[in-house]
Amino acid sequence: MIRGMDRPLFMAASYLQLYLRANENPAPAVLTGTGLTEESLRTTDYVDYRLMAMLYRNVERLGAQPGWAARIGAQLNITTHGPLAFAALSAPTLGAALQVMAQLHPVRTTTIEASEEIEGPRYHFRLHDLTGDAEFARYTAEAIVRVMQALIETVTGHAAGDNMLISFAHPAPDYVDELHAIYLVPLAFDAEETAVSIPASWLHIPSPLYDEGSYRQN
């Protein structure tokens, strides 16, 4: 694993661009205090995570709908994640796709550390925040686990339902009902770690989008 102390903590600028498009407020208001503009983001590959944290605070200050981070997670489409997502979706199996996300996510963000574990009949994809910023960690976790859920459901071809458990290391927010309505799977809060858990047997499910050439190239 790559530790936060060994690298700068950044996020792909494309994520900030998506947040701007998904927000109903004017871009200058959402970018207040970041020193960024829509124009500068178009020519920027990565930004310091603290600028994303500031954007999160601006979104909250401007009166975002509760659960906004999880909803935006659902909008983080394949082009947003670049080669990382293309590699995951073209992988031969769900297990291989999740391995791609666990091992190669630093090409898109270094603010988290991901790990995998099979524990009895369950597989766990765990996320650990490296920033120490509780608010940033909460919003980022709510978005990322929605991305992971979408990947799993795309490969399996069906809604995860009660087969999936999403755990959050942070306490249940006051908009917990909105989160239940967004994820539509069991949720746990104040957990030891943020994680997505599914049956380990699912790891062998072949991906309908498997393409060896795209998988290796990406």
Side-chain angles (χ1 to χ4, degrees):
M1 292 183 185
I2 305 172
R3 296 291 174 180
M5 67 181 67
D6 298 327
R7 62 185 179 185
L9 301 179
F10 62 77
M11 299 190 78
S14 58
Y15 294 141
L16 279 79
Q17 293 173 342
L18 177 77
Y19 276 67
L20 289 181
R21 292 197 298 269
N23 194 277
E24 60 185 15
N25 295 288
V30 181
L31 292 173
T32 297
T34 65
L36 298 169
T37 65
E38 288 183 276
E39 291 72 23
S40 66
L41 278 174
R42 295 191 188 102
T43 57
T44 302
D45 293 326
Y46 299 98
V47 298
D48 187 286
Y49 88 91
R50 288 169 291 192
L51 299 182
M52 188 63 150
M54 190 170 294
L55 182 147
Y56 287 167
R57 290 193 291 271
N58 288 339
V59 169
E60 278 291 313
R61 175 178 54 80
L62 293 166
Q65 184 180 7
W68 60 269
R71 289 189 178 87
I72 288 180
Q75 299 176 40
L76 292 173
N77 58 38
I78 189 168
T79 57
T80 309
H81 304 294
L84 177 65
F86 286 108
L89 287 175
S90 61
T93 64
L94 177 58
L98 293 171
Q99 186 178 54
V100 165
M101 298 298 283
Q103 295 183 356
L104 302 182
H105 67 274
V107 302
R108 304 302 286 169
T109 179
T110 60
T111 66
I112 60 169
E113 185 175 80
S115 62
E116 305 173 273
E117 182 181 8
I118 295 177
E119 197 171 34
R122 304 290 295 182
Y123 163 88
H124 308 286
F125 188 100
R126 297 188 168 102
L127 298 169
H128 174 65
D129 170 70
L130 297 175
T131 70
D133 183 327
E135 184 179 58
F136 175 88
R138 173 162 60 95
Y139 291 131
T140 299
E142 289 174 1
I144 290 178
V145 298
R146 185 65 186 88
V147 170
M148 299 305 301
Q149 180 183 12
L151 171 63
I152 291 167
E153 292 179 342
T154 296
V155 174
T156 60
H158 59 77
D162 290 342
N163 289 300
M164 177 180 289
L165 171 65
I166 294 176
S167 304
F168 292 104
H170 57 262
D174 54 10
Y175 51 88
V176 65
D177 289 342
E178 284 82 358
L179 293 183
H180 280 287
I182 293 167
Y183 298 114
L184 297 175
V185 301
L187 304 179
F189 296 90
D190 268 329
E192 290 186 6
E193 57 203 351
T194 295
V196 177
S197 173
I198 58 174
S201 59
W202 284 14
L203 299 179
H204 305 292
I205 295 176
S207 173
L209 301 175
Y210 171 52
D211 182 281
E212 182 68 18
S214 295
Y215 173 55
R216 297 299 175 187
Q217 180 180 6
N218 283 285

